[in-house]
Amino acid sequence: MQMQKQEISRSLSSVAYQKILVAIISGEYPANEKLPSEAKLCEKYSVSRPVLREALTRLKEDNLIVSRRGSGSFVIKRPDDAVLSFSKISSISGIQRCFEFRTDLEGSAAGLAATRRTADQLARIVAAAEKIDEANRLHAIASEEDFEFHLAIAEAANNQYYSTVMKSLRENIKEGMNITRTLSLQSTDVNRMILVQDEHKAILKHIIDGDAENAELAMKRHLNSARIRMFEGTDD
């Protein structure tokens, strides 16, 4: 019964998260402005305060709002409208949570890959990275190439559980990659795609060097940055 209540609470908080996210993207809650009080938000979205607070916590983790003691919550970033054209709003929360899950999973896999990878596995990782570079030169989305790079690293950990989980999440992972890579390609900030490339190069370098600690850190940094890039905002 307790688990069922927790599942219901998570489901309700996801709905509240989605509704507030849409309101932020649409400009109903502008950047640099204060959100309505918790009481008003609870009333508007017909949720309890614990459910609302869970939704607000997710928005904080996504770097969209910030709490200021004694003042309430403020919007600090408005994601690009294009986010909603790439994915159903109902799946965006899941994509963000998938990025969170992948951070520890793939970080650990990268650390293991640095010390366990065989010569053939390293060659596959390098080849996958080169395919991403080529796709970037052609301004292609390259989500398939990106996934293969991450999968090659997971398999180089030489623990089948990492690659099994990665394969089971293939569609979820690629959906997130499609959004973040498309937004990067469409961005007027040319440095955005360069940052992604540099993150991949850092991961690869540490795996080549056999540096487990920094390979893990580089992968975690890359995935956390990718999650945040999905919600790179506008200036207004």
Side-chain angles (χ1 to χ4, degrees), residues 16-171:
Y17 167 95
Q18 292 158 15
K19 290 180 178 178
I20 298 173
L21 174 61
V22 169
I24 292 173
I25 292 175
S26 69
E28 180 180 349
Y29 302 141
N32 303 313
E33 295 290 335
K34 182 180 176 181
L35 284 175
S37 67
E38 287 189 359
K40 290 183 178 178
L41 289 172
C42 286
E43 180 180 1
K44 179 172 183 177
Y45 299 114
S46 301
V47 294
S48 65
R49 193 159 296 213
V51 167
L52 175 70
R53 286 177 175 169
E54 185 175 343
L56 294 178
T57 295
R58 291 185 181 186
L59 291 164
K60 290 174 192 173
E61 291 170 348
D62 294 340
N63 202 33
L64 295 180
I65 68 172
V66 64
S67 293
R68 296 173 184 165
R69 182 170 294 182
S71 300
S73 296
F74 289 76
V75 178
I76 56 175
K77 182 186 296 181
R78 183 170 77 83
D80 196 299
D81 296 343
V83 171
L84 296 181
S85 67
F86 298 140
S87 182
K88 295 178 181 177
I89 186 61
S90 60
S91 70
I92 288 178
S93 177
I95 292 170
Q96 291 292 85
R97 306 293 75 80
C98 184
F99 271 122
E100 286 178 350
F101 176 73
R102 289 175 60 202
T103 299
D104 283 335
L105 176 79
E106 294 193 53
S108 178
L112 291 173
T115 56
R116 293 183 178 177
R117 46 75 175 170
T118 65
D120 286 344
Q121 288 170 334
L122 179 58
R124 182 184 168 195
I125 296 170
V126 171
E130 290 174 348
K131 287 181 180 179
I132 294 175
D133 288 342
E134 178 60 25
N136 288 340
R137 284 192 287 272
L138 298 173
H139 298 285
I141 294 176
S143 57
E144 184 63 38
E145 291 86 347
D146 200 346
F147 179 81
E148 289 304 317
F149 173 72
H150 285 264
L151 179 60
I153 292 172
E155 291 185 337
N158 284 300
N159 178 329
Q160 73 271 24
Y161 291 103
Y162 287 103
S163 56
T164 297
V165 172
M166 287 287 291
K167 289 173 183 176
S168 71
L169 293 174
R170 178 186 289 267
E171 295 309 313

